[in-house]
Amino acid sequence: MRDQPDAPVTTAPPAGGPGDAVPALPGHPPRHPPAPAAPSASLSAPPGPPSAPSAPRPLGEHRLWPRSFADRLTTPLPGLRAFARLAREGAFRPGAEGLSGIPDLPYEPAPLPEAPPGTLSVTWAGHASWVLRTGGLTVLTDPVWSRRILGTPARMTPVGVPWEELPPVDAVVISHNHYDHLDAPTLRRLPRDTALFVPAGLARWCRRRGFTSVTELDWWEYAELGGVRFEFVPAHHWSKRSLLDTCRTLWGGWVLTDTAAGRTVYFAGDTGYGHWFGEIGRRHPGIDLALLPIGAYAPRWWLRDVHADPEEAVRACLDLGARRMAPMHWATFVLSAEPVTEPLHRTRAAWTRAGLPREDLWDLPIGASRTL
């Protein structure tokens, strides 16, 4: 679908290379041991990434996009045979033993800390929702404050930050349009002039809901707001929100840079493991903090192309060259078959095996904060 512009239209430049897709369900330092071989992809990677844009895109720009972004997929979407196997095995939710750990999921809500200029403060609200305060702005990532989302049981843990305790929200970044990342009831709580940064093709959905400051970007493009640079970067994922809109909008992650303090945080959104992490790291050396997904990975044959497992998340952090990692995308919704507490145990073990400093793994409980 195309947006029908009511302002001057510019055409999006072609993006280089595929992004990455996935199933349809809801140089390392010498001190590190060799990493396992990366999962093979059925489609080849692009010959090379496009050069970085020389100027930011205008805020709120109205743009036209291709009807589909399926050419960005680096692995094919699953076919009927895969769906039949999934239905036959029935292994897309943990059993009773796997769910028994719900009372042990980390949940320690606390008041938001002060965030003076020059600091980067992150608070995990649950799943892929963070309260980021950087460059004087308060930014929400993939905000989901709803108790339930389409097609899943209710939250295992409450939201870590009550909505009424949030400071005024300056901006929201959305990684893609899946229901556990783009939650209409939560967005309806925001003032309609809140700045939204979204993937290519998603502005129409937002504007139809009354939002007046929506900036949609292609991979490697960026825009600026209040001294913070918002760059949209590739991810190994896909998009779909209804029966007829597969890959009609783009998917990706965000690199937010406080241009005055030089602080950089990478929010991966939802992604499998693959070559894009190394490219993001090359373009953004010295990332201060990587917010990386560690959950929703079982059964592996079904989800490996769309969701990184804990060991792959640690490897992605190394590929990025990020100084610190904060795990996310676990302990909130039951989306897959692994035991609910397993992602954190495996992440900690992989971090230790990699010889990384324990203090650089920010394995926060839901509701907790950390500040640089």
Side-chain angles (χ1 to χ4, degrees):
M1 283 247 186
R2 294 170 179 250
D3 274 335
Q4 298 303 315
D6 51 12
V9 175
T10 60
T11 303
D20 290 54
V22 130
L25 268 192
H28 308 330
R31 64 190 179 91
H32 300 307
S40 59
S42 300
L43 302 180
S44 60
S51 59
S54 58
R57 303 295 308 198
L59 295 173
E61 179 182 22
H62 286 243
R63 306 173 69 173
L64 292 178
W65 300 101
R67 181 173 176 83
S68 172
F69 293 93
D71 62 329
R72 308 291 184 92
L73 298 173
T74 51
T75 55
L77 296 174
L80 290 176
R81 184 174 299 178
F83 279 99
R85 177 181 172 184
L86 185 70
R88 184 172 65 251
E89 294 180 358
F92 46 83
R93 293 287 186 269
E97 184 176 353
L99 294 172
S100 65
I102 290 178
D104 300 321
L105 293 173
Y107 178 74
E108 299 177 13
L112 296 176
E114 296 294 326
T119 64
L120 168 64
S121 177
V122 299
T123 304
W124 190 30
H127 201 52
S129 302
W130 295 85
V131 183
L132 306 182
R133 286 181 294 165
T134 181
L137 302 183
T138 296
V139 182
L140 302 184
T141 70
D142 288 0
V144 179
W145 261 249
S146 296
R147 180 173 177 270
R148 185 185 295 273
I149 56 172
L150 184 68
T152 69
R155 307 175 75 104
M156 297 183 288
T157 48
V159 181
V161 183
W163 189 262
E164 59 274 12
E165 294 183 12
L166 286 172
V169 176
D170 299 293
V172 171
V173 297
I174 300 295
S175 64
H176 65 298
N177 70 356
H178 288 161
Y179 282 85
D180 58 323
H181 294 259
L182 178 62
D183 184 52
T186 299
L187 292 183
R188 281 199 294 267
R189 298 185 178 198
L190 293 165
R192 295 307 185 267
D193 61 351
T194 303
L196 305 186
F197 294 87
V198 304
L202 197 53
R204 181 182 183 184
W205 185 95
C206 300
R207 291 179 181 134
R208 281 164 46 190
R209 284 154 180 80
F211 287 95
T212 59
S213 179
V214 187
T215 302
E216 54 184 346
L217 299 176
D218 204 339
W219 289 345
W220 309 120
E221 292 183 338
Y222 71 96
E224 294 178 344
L225 176 70
V228 176
R229 170 174 164 152
F230 295 74
E231 181 173 343
F232 192 51
V233 296
H236 296 270
H237 208 62
W238 67 307
S239 70
K240 183 182 181 70
R241 199 167 174 88
S242 70
L243 293 175
L244 302 176
D245 67 350
T246 302
C247 297
R248 293 288 181 86
T249 64
L250 198 50
W251 52 90
W254 293 91
V255 175
L256 275 60
T257 304
D258 177 346
T259 56
R263 297 285 192 189
T264 301
V265 58
Y266 164 61
F267 168 66
D270 206 352
T271 179
Y273 177 79
H275 67 281
W276 286 128
F277 293 111
E279 182 58 34
I280 294 167
R282 283 187 287 274
R283 290 172 182 252
H284 295 278
I287 292 171
D288 291 288
L289 175 65
L291 310 175
L292 289 166
I294 65 168
Y297 51 79
R300 206 73 199 111
W301 68 267
W302 172 254
L303 290 169
R304 69 178 304 143
D305 295 323
V306 60
H307 292 158
D309 66 22
E311 293 78 17
E312 290 170 334
V314 172
R315 185 179 179 192
C317 186
L318 294 170
D319 292 350
L320 290 161
R323 297 185 174 103
R324 301 161 191 87
M325 169 181 162
M328 65 174 186
H329 207 269
W330 77 286
T332 308
F333 297 107
V334 178
L335 300 175
S336 54
E338 74 272 4
V340 296
T341 59
E342 181 182 279
L344 183 60
H345 298 316
R346 286 178 55 176
T347 299
R348 288 172 172 171
W351 193 264
T352 299
R353 286 196 302 271
L356 298 168
R358 181 62 181 86
E359 64 271 18
D360 290 342
L361 179 62
W362 288 13
D363 47 350
L364 301 178
I366 292 174
S369 305
R370 192 72 65 88
T371 300
L372 274 177

